Amino acid sequence: MKEILSGNEAIARGAFEAGVKVASAYPGTPSTEILENIVNYKEIDASWAPNEKVALEVAIGASFGGGRSIACMKHVGVNVAADPLFTLSYTGVGGGLVLVVADDPEMHSSQDEQDSRNYARFAKVPMLEPADSQECKDFTRLAFEISEQFDTPVMLRSCTRISHGKSIVELGEPATGLPTPKLVKNPAKLVMLPGNARVRHPFVEERLLKLADYGRTAAVNRVEMRDTELGIVTAGVSYQYVREVFPNASVLKLGMVYPLPMDLIREFASKVTKLIVVEELDAFIEDQVKAAGISVTGKEAIPLCGELTPGRLRAAFGIPGAPQVTVENLPGRPPNMCPGCPHRGVFFTLNQLKAYVTGDIGCYTLGFMPPLNAMDTCVCMGASISSASGIVRVLSDEEKKKVVAVIGDSTFLHTGVNSLMEMAYNKAPATVVILDNRITAMTGRQDNPASGWTLMDDSTNAVDLVQLCTALGIRHVRVVDPLDLDQTRAALQEEMNRPEPSVIITNRPCVLVKREGVFQKGLVLSVDQDHCTGCKACLKIGCPAIEWIPAPDGKKGKAKIDPLLCNGCDVCRQLCKFNAIGRAQ
Amino acid sequence: MSDTITNILLVGVGGQGILLASEILSEAFMLAGFDVKKSEIHGMSQRGGSVVSHVRYGKEVHSPIVPEGEGDILFGFELMETYRYLPLLRKGGTVVANDLRISPPSVLLGQASYPDDLPDRIRALFPDFLLVDGQHLAAEAGNVRAANTVLLGAVAKQLDIPDECWHKALERMVPPKALDVNRKAFQLGRAL
């Protein structure tokens, strides 16, 4: 049977067909939908973990117990999971273990651009890279076979265009005859203290040689001989651009990007007049090919930054593309926090108080945008609290008062807890705001340990954030309603002035969370045009429902609220000094 | 089957149903026996941001994104976004757009204005431009939110895909309770 699947859906299908027992992940674009689709296969125990390190460790446990397991994350998640990954390379696996990593070239939704192939080389584990949804499914199955055959975790690398691209997939039957998981004691292999690990390192090196030998003949690496004038070594989505731009060239299409089958590459190189490597981001293949003494070009022409497109590939090799029309500049359309978003009033208040805001990763990172302009730093998940803790160490007593860390509930539980522990322990006098909207909103509303629901949609224990912060040693923890501007401002002012660590937790769920009603249904605000003086105070919160309507003479104007967009959060009403905003009739 | 690949772009603002429309299109192409690939960006650029979805079909499709300047049909859900993505189209390509304006943040704040001559600017570059009153026709079909399906019908008219493929694709991709409205919306678009 044929279906159109996204790469992520196909990876989920591949996991099902491979007989996976356990799947764990932390959501992150573009990887999120893998687990959201795996959960549809009732045979698999799928769950969200608080972070990627934990997700991988859950998969490791299941593998040690003899079950096939999968952990999924985005590229920056591997940084978090790197610690167990490197040792897992030494222990090897019980049941097959696959770590799926989705890179985000072009940073469509990420804070940096990482080429995860480097992690495969660094951790000395094989990496497969599919080029369409069919390969996503097939390579996922294959990855489990390789994992068990070579006693290694296998990384499967996707990228935004593969994960979120859709193409036709021929579905297969699930694997049968897999062993039943059970406890097997093997401390020499699974207890990585120095004496045991020293024995495993030579195994890891030898395994790489065997994998490279496997890659020489395996069908996953494929030579397509066409015109021998030009030969191209490529992998993943780049293969598709190569086929589009150079339809007549011979291609060595690598499905296993680490370790490289250098004999195969050498043989291919000998059959073509000119050899190039086409790859996104780093010169990962190219550098190794050059180091093997094979003459090749690639990054001299192809950009190191951003994703490839057929057009960029053409430009790199001076091939003229189709003529394009030019259009005049238009106002940009950046993403925005939703109408009624509970974060908006907090950022407005932080701006008013001239706070120095150390931010974090989530929807609320948009608080840096005008007109809120209330975020000054943003590095990685959890860094808001620790950077606040660090910056106050170098500031005067007066400036220390301005430092506020903001972090979402999911991000707080991801790695913010460690940072808050540090802040409490070292008594760093900064204020932390936990924007608790009861969900991991940015990636599409996934539940987390504080939301009270599992991925399987069962109700569960919810972390009590107040008690958790208290237990970490924060003496001043308070809860505020972020839609009440006076209350929010008073709480922030008081805690910012306090010369010790404190936490403010906001208590309104995301407007898109269906389980909990945030606002009274049908409560929509409107601007009384007779009372509106055109002072623009309400525009300062940047709500998409409020629009400035210039007067015909072009001099003055008035605000207007779009009733279809307004969620009735009431924040704008609190800003209007002329009582011009009220409930719509 | 010829070797020609048809390149379709769906553009608009995050939250307008662009993903669903491109899924219905892709499904119809697969049902008609073509290879099909679809690609779009979502995540941070989802809510309120500028969105473009690429759908390509033919005997064999390689790149999941439409090569720059090779789009055959641009299917606009919002006027400004329609104009923004015109450079992706080939010369003589087809533009079908919804007559809808959604103000971006700078316009809401009164710092920029929404150009009022966009239909003229689009027509100057692509004379066959079809402007559709999608909201109005969707309301006629029973739900103003079905404007995406009205546009889909208008685009379907330009493509040589058997009727039953469109109907089956709608059935598969649209939730059952919204199916009747969407069928009507599709027909209204198709009749334009």
Side-chain angles (χ1 to χ4, degrees):
Chain A
M1 196 183 120
K2 281 183 179 177
E3 268 188 48
I4 302 180
L5 299 180
S6 69
N8 284 346
E9 288 168 332
I11 291 168
R13 176 73 196 186
F16 163 70
E17 290 185 8
V20 162
K21 294 257 190 264
V22 170
S24 185
Y26 182 79
T29 311
S31 73
T32 314
E33 300 81 4
I34 303 170
L35 224 60
E36 289 182 328
N37 283 284
I38 281 184
V39 74
N40 296 327
Y41 300 104
K42 298 302 167 207
E43 297 80 355
I44 304 177
D45 181 308
S47 55
W48 294 124
N51 67 36
E52 296 83 359
K53 174 181 187 288
V54 176
L56 181 56
E57 288 159 352
V58 168
I60 290 173
S63 164
F64 286 176
R68 287 187 168 182
S69 64
I70 194 166
C72 313
M73 55 198 65
K74 69 183 295 181
H75 61 289
V76 287
V78 186
N79 302 334
V80 181
D83 199 3
L85 172 63
F86 282 68
T87 306
L88 172 63
S89 173
Y90 278 39
T91 62
V93 300
L97 188 151
V98 175
L99 189 169
V100 183
V101 51
D103 282 4
D104 187 17
E106 200 71 24
M107 295 171 277
H108 296 286
S109 193
S110 303
Q111 65 269 43
D112 62 36
E113 216 166 25
Q114 287 174 207
D115 190 329
S116 295
R117 295 178 299 174
N118 295 301
Y119 264 117
R121 191 178 188 193
F122 195 2
K124 305 186 186 229
V125 299
M127 177 179 263
L128 302 183
E129 189 173 4
D132 59 21
S133 296
Q134 181 71 52
E135 287 192 350
C136 281
K137 184 186 78 81
D138 295 344
F139 285 15
T140 303
R141 278 192 84 150
L142 176 67
F144 282 100
E145 287 158 22
I146 293 173
S147 173
E148 287 167 4
Q149 186 183 339
F150 293 91
D151 189 15
T152 179
V154 176
M155 291 179 79
L156 182 83
R157 182 206 189 209
S158 175
C159 66
T160 304
R161 295 293 176 182
I162 295 295
S163 274
H164 287 173
K166 287 201 168 189
S167 58
I168 299 173
V169 178
E170 181 75 48
L171 304 184
E173 292 301 315
T176 52
L178 295 172
T180 306
K182 63 172 192 293
L183 291 176
V184 178
K185 289 181 185 272
N186 190 356
K189 183 171 184 283
L190 303 182
V191 180
M192 282 302 100
L193 47 70
N196 288 345
R198 275 184 214 115
V199 178
R200 291 298 288 180
H201 190 182
F203 165 81
V204 168
E205 300 299 341
E206 202 179 315
R207 185 178 69 199
L208 279 180
L209 297 176
K210 286 181 182 163
L211 282 159
D213 193 50
Y214 165 87
R216 191 167 54 83
T217 52
V220 71
N221 297 321
R222 177 174 86 220
V223 174
E224 301 172 1
M225 289 312 291
R226 295 184 191 89
D227 185 5
T228 56
E229 199 59 34
L230 178 64
I232 303 175
V233 183
T234 188
V237 76
S238 302
Y239 165 76
Q240 309 291 6
Y241 304 143
V242 162
R243 294 290 294 121
E244 190 83 27
V245 174
F246 302 99
N248 301 320
S250 293
V251 175
L252 169 53
K253 195 260 185 206
L254 297 172
M256 186 187 271
V257 288
Y258 192 77
L260 289 177
M262 208 49 80
D263 290 346
L264 184 62
I265 295 173
R266 194 170 280 115
E267 195 188 320
F268 178 71
S270 73
K271 290 180 185 163
V272 296
T273 313
K274 182 178 160 51
L275 187 72
I276 61 176
V277 173
V278 175
E279 56 191 327
E280 249 174 13
L281 301 181
D282 295 346
F284 181 79
I285 299 171
E286 183 185 334
D287 285 350
Q288 293 178 71
V289 171
K290 280 181 174 161
I294 303 166
S295 171
V296 68
T297 53
K299 291 295 170 185
E300 294 95 322
I302 301 166
L304 284 160
C305 308
E307 65 181 3
L308 280 181
T309 65
R312 286 179 188 170
L313 192 55
R314 279 199 190 107
F317 292 97
I319 303 165
Q324 291 177 258
V325 302
T326 50
V327 295
E328 289 154 68
N329 274 339
L330 293 174
R333 194 186 294 275
N336 198 345
M337 287 187 274
C338 303
C341 174
H343 304 330
R344 187 170 274 111
V346 177
F347 284 106
F348 171 79
T349 309
L350 287 167
N351 176 309
Q352 296 277 298
L353 294 172
K354 298 188 168 57
Y356 185 92
V357 180
T358 57
D360 224 298
I361 309 285
C363 289
Y364 52 91
T365 315
L366 297 172
F368 96 93
M369 300 221 315
L372 296 166
N373 301 312
M375 188 169 291
D376 298 285
T377 72
C378 176
V379 178
C380 68
M381 298 192 81
S384 56
I385 300 176
S386 6
S387 2
S389 187
I391 199 168
V392 293
R393 290 168 211 209
V394 298
L395 299 177
S396 67
D397 284 348
E398 205 40 49
E399 278 201 307
K400 273 178 194 161
K401 292 180 182 170
K402 291 184 182 159
V403 178
V404 179
V406 293
I407 187 166
D409 48 326
S410 188
T411 316
F412 177 65
L413 296 172
H414 178 277
T415 35
V417 177
N418 308 324
S419 304
L420 189 63
M421 204 184 299
E422 191 280 339
M423 179 180 272
Y425 171 59
N426 290 312
K427 299 184 175 178
T431 306
V432 174
V433 181
I434 301 177
L435 299 163
D436 178 15
N437 64 0
R438 249 50 72 67
I439 211 80
T440 312
M442 177 82 161
T443 41
R445 287 159 280 151
Q446 291 75 29
D447 288 301
N448 65 51
S451 67
W453 297 87
T454 69
L455 174 58
M456 313 277 230
D457 220 23
D458 294 323
S459 92
T460 185
N461 310 305
V463 172
D464 184 324
L465 293 176
V466 175
Q467 284 198 45
L468 175 57
C469 296
T470 310
L472 293 174
I474 303 291
R475 296 199 303 160
H476 306 278
V477 183
R478 61 204 284 178
V479 177
V480 303
D481 178 356
L483 301 182
D484 183 332
L485 291 184
D486 288 343
Q487 195 192 119
T488 302
R489 186 185 176 100
L492 273 168
Q493 269 175 324
E494 196 176 328
E495 299 308 334
M496 286 166 76
N497 277 319
R498 198 189 293 281
E500 59 180 307
S502 59
V503 172
I504 298 170
I505 301 170
T506 65
N507 70 354
R508 290 280 183 165
C510 168
V511 284
L512 300 173
V513 172
K514 286 178 186 147
R515 288 195 191 99
E516 303 167 74
V518 189
F519 311 114
Q520 223 178 305
K521 214 177 171 178
L523 186 99
V524 171
L525 301 174
S526 70
V527 180
D528 179 339
Q529 298 294 310
D530 295 335
H531 284 80
C532 178
T533 62
C535 73
K536 291 190 173 180
C538 58
L539 295 177
K540 288 183 187 157
I541 53 170
C543 177
I546 309 176
E547 182 160 15
W548 179 253
I549 310 290
D553 62 10
K555 285 176 192 158
K556 272 291 228 176
K558 290 187 185 210
K560 187 175 169 254
I561 293 174
D562 183 339
L564 290 174
L565 292 176
C566 177
N567 274 320
C569 75
D570 208 40
V571 167
C572 60
R573 189 189 55 78
Q574 298 167 55
L575 292 175
C576 181
K577 290 192 179 109
F578 305 96
N579 295 319
I581 298 177
R583 278 193 201 188
Q585 296 305 309
Chain B
M1 197 181 280
S2 81
D3 285 341
T4 321
I5 292 173
T6 305
N7 295 315
I8 304 174
L9 297 150
L10 297 90
V11 307
V13 180
Q16 282 195 286
I18 292 164
L19 257 71
L20 180 62
S22 45
E23 310 231 309
I24 297 169
L25 272 178
S26 307
E27 192 74 18
F29 299 145
M30 181 180 76
L31 291 169
F34 292 102
D35 187 18
V36 56
K37 279 193 178 157
K38 165 179 171 290
S39 175
E40 80 274 316
I41 297 301
H42 53 279
M44 195 165 198
S45 43
Q46 204 172 23
R47 296 237 142 233
S50 170
V51 170
V52 55
S53 175
H54 305 236
V55 180
R56 315 184 72 206
Y57 76 95
K59 192 173 159 193
E60 192 185 7
V61 179
H62 294 297
S63 163
I65 49 181
V66 174
E68 297 86 337
E70 292 184 24
D72 296 293
I73 302 172
L74 184 93
F75 181 11
F77 286 60
E78 197 272 349
L79 273 176
M80 192 189 284
E81 297 312 309
T82 305
Y83 181 71
R84 193 190 308 278
Y85 288 106
L86 291 180
L88 291 177
L89 266 185
R90 69 172 163 81
K91 201 165 174 263
T94 304
V95 184
V96 178
N98 192 15
D99 187 10
L100 174 71
R101 290 147 205 259
I102 301 176
S103 297
S106 56
V107 173
L108 293 175
L109 295 172
Q111 293 160 352
S113 55
Y114 194 108
D116 53 10
D117 59 344
L118 287 175
D120 295 338
R121 285 202 221 170
I122 298 168
R123 196 165 286 113
L125 294 164
F126 295 90
D128 296 334
F129 171 48
L130 175 65
L131 187 62
V132 179
D133 188 354
Q135 316 305 110
H136 182 82
L137 291 170
E140 199 176 302
N143 188 340
V144 68
R145 294 182 60 193
N148 53 353
T149 318
V150 173
L151 259 73
L152 199 62
V155 171
K157 209 173 107 174
Q158 320 260 352
L159 303 169
D160 190 19
I161 300 291
D163 264 359
E164 70 255 29
C165 297
W166 291 115
H167 293 307
K168 212 167 173 186
L170 278 173
E171 260 169 48
R172 282 195 187 174
M173 308 309 294
V174 174
K177 62 174 185 183
L179 192 55
D180 275 348
V181 169
N182 278 278
R183 277 192 185 125
K184 261 186 228 163
F186 185 83
Q187 288 311 334
L188 287 171
R190 191 134 206 211
L192 284 169

